């Protein structure tokens, strides 16, 4: 909202001017500007040059052609690629632990139905993390 409020008084702002006026940390500002200017169909702001990434030489201006039939407009946040990789890595670290727990349980019990396996795996791993039943399946 802080970024949008800047456009009440001026038509065009550079990335550097927005950064200085808002004092938002660089990564958060780039994520915010991507959400406002780079999502097709919901670009409240326009930028020059047109591209997906945000650089210091970009100039932003309000998109006069933007309209919405809703009173309240939702703007989706774009996740940085680094954050997506961390989440993927976290999921990949969890899978071997789940597999090991399933193997331990099945060696002892020999035969169990699905619901009991999920319950037992959850019970064994709850001290480390709460596994998702979909991942266990």
């Amino acid at each position: 909202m802080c970024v949008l409020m800047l456009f009440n008084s001026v038509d065009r702002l550079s990335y550097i001017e927005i950064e200085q006026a808002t004092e938002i940390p660089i990564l958060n500002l780039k994520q915010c500007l991507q959400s406002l200017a780079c999502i097709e169909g919901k670009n409240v702001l326009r930028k020059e040059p047109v591209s997906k990434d945000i650089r210091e030489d970009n100039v932003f201006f309000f998109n006069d052609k933007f309209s919405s039939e809703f009173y309240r407009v939702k703007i989706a946040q774009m996740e940085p690629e680094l954050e997506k990789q961390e989440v993927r890595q976290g999921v990949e670290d969890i899978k071997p632990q789940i597999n090991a727990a399933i193997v331990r349980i099945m060696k002892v019990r020999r035969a169990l139905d699905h619901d009991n396996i999920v319950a037992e795996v959850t019970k064994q791993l709850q001290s480390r993390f709460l596994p998702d039943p979909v991942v266990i399946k």
Side-chain angles (χ1 to χ4, degrees):
M1 193 55 157
C2 311
V3 174
L4 291 177
M5 295 292 287
L6 295 173
F7 289 93
N8 284 339
S9 56
V10 281
D11 293 333
R12 300 172 80 84
L13 287 169
S14 69
Y15 171 83
I16 307 257
E17 292 170 333
I18 295 171
E19 182 182 25
Q20 291 170 350
T22 60
E23 297 180 6
I24 297 174
I26 293 171
L27 289 175
N28 293 347
L29 181 61
K30 285 186 177 185
Q31 183 180 359
C32 174
L33 289 172
Q34 273 187 325
S35 298
L36 290 171
C38 297
I39 295 178
E40 192 64 37
K42 290 190 175 184
N43 49 346
V44 178
L45 298 179
R46 293 177 49 203
K47 73 181 203 76
E48 292 176 352
V50 177
S51 66
K52 288 270 183 189
D53 57 326
I54 305 294
R55 295 189 310 259
E56 290 189 5
D57 63 336
N58 291 139
V59 176
F60 296 89
F61 52 96
F62 186 73
N63 184 6
D64 294 332
K65 296 176 184 167
F66 176 80
S67 66
S68 176
E69 60 190 47
F70 301 109
Y71 178 73
R72 187 173 182 174
V73 178
K74 292 183 181 180
I75 297 176
Q77 287 285 355
M78 294 184 72
E79 291 184 37
E81 194 60 36
L82 181 63
E83 195 172 296
K84 288 180 184 177
Q85 288 174 347
E86 288 175 2
V87 169
R88 278 191 221 115
Q89 185 63 35
V91 169
E92 294 303 318
D93 291 343
I94 289 172
K95 286 182 181 179
Q97 292 180 29
I98 293 173
N99 288 337
I102 293 171
V103 168
R104 283 192 303 268
I105 293 166
M106 294 309 291
K107 278 186 175 182
V108 172
R109 302 279 177 94
R110 298 283 179 206
L112 275 178
D113 64 351
H114 179 263
D115 293 335
N116 289 334
I117 292 172
V118 171
E120 193 68 31
V121 169
T122 304
K123 184 178 172 184
Q124 279 192 12
L125 296 176
Q126 71 184 4
S127 63
R128 296 182 205 146
F129 61 91
L130 188 61
D132 184 18
V134 175
V135 176
I136 295 172
K137 183 178 180 181

